[in-house]
Amino acid sequence: MRAEVLADTERFDEAIAAFKDILHKNPDFPGIHLALGQLYWRRKDLEKSRLELKLALAEDPKSPLANYYLAD
């Protein structure tokens, strides 16, 4: 929840660190790669965004948001 609040307030570096902490503690946390992909996309770090979004699609190949961000 804290990571989402940080992302919503555009504190991207802190949000990414919080999401990575969650990922470290629970690698199978649902939606974590999509959240990271969106954050990197908003930060204009497109290479990292692409990597995370591809992982999100591996979890859910029909994810509309992951497909949208990758297409953009």
Side-chain angles (χ1 to χ4, degrees):
M1 186 90 107
R2 184 176 72 88
E4 290 179 4
V5 170
L6 291 168
D8 288 343
T9 58
E10 297 187 2
R11 295 166 58 187
F12 299 133
D13 292 334
E14 293 173 69
I16 288 169
F19 277 121
K20 283 187 175 183
D21 186 47
I22 295 166
L23 184 61
H24 177 72
K25 290 177 182 175
N26 185 357
D28 297 324
F29 193 87
I32 195 76
H33 294 291
L34 177 60
L36 280 167
Q38 288 175 305
L39 277 171
Y40 284 126
W41 183 85
R42 289 176 67 192
R43 244 185 50 186
K44 307 294 187 228
D45 189 341
L46 301 182
E47 186 58 36
K48 287 181 182 177
S49 176
R50 185 176 310 126
L51 293 173
E52 290 295 336
L53 292 169
K54 285 184 179 182
L55 290 171
L57 284 176
E59 293 175 352
D60 180 8
K62 295 182 181 181
S63 169
L65 283 175
N67 280 300
Y68 169 80
Y69 283 110
L70 272 173
D72 185 52

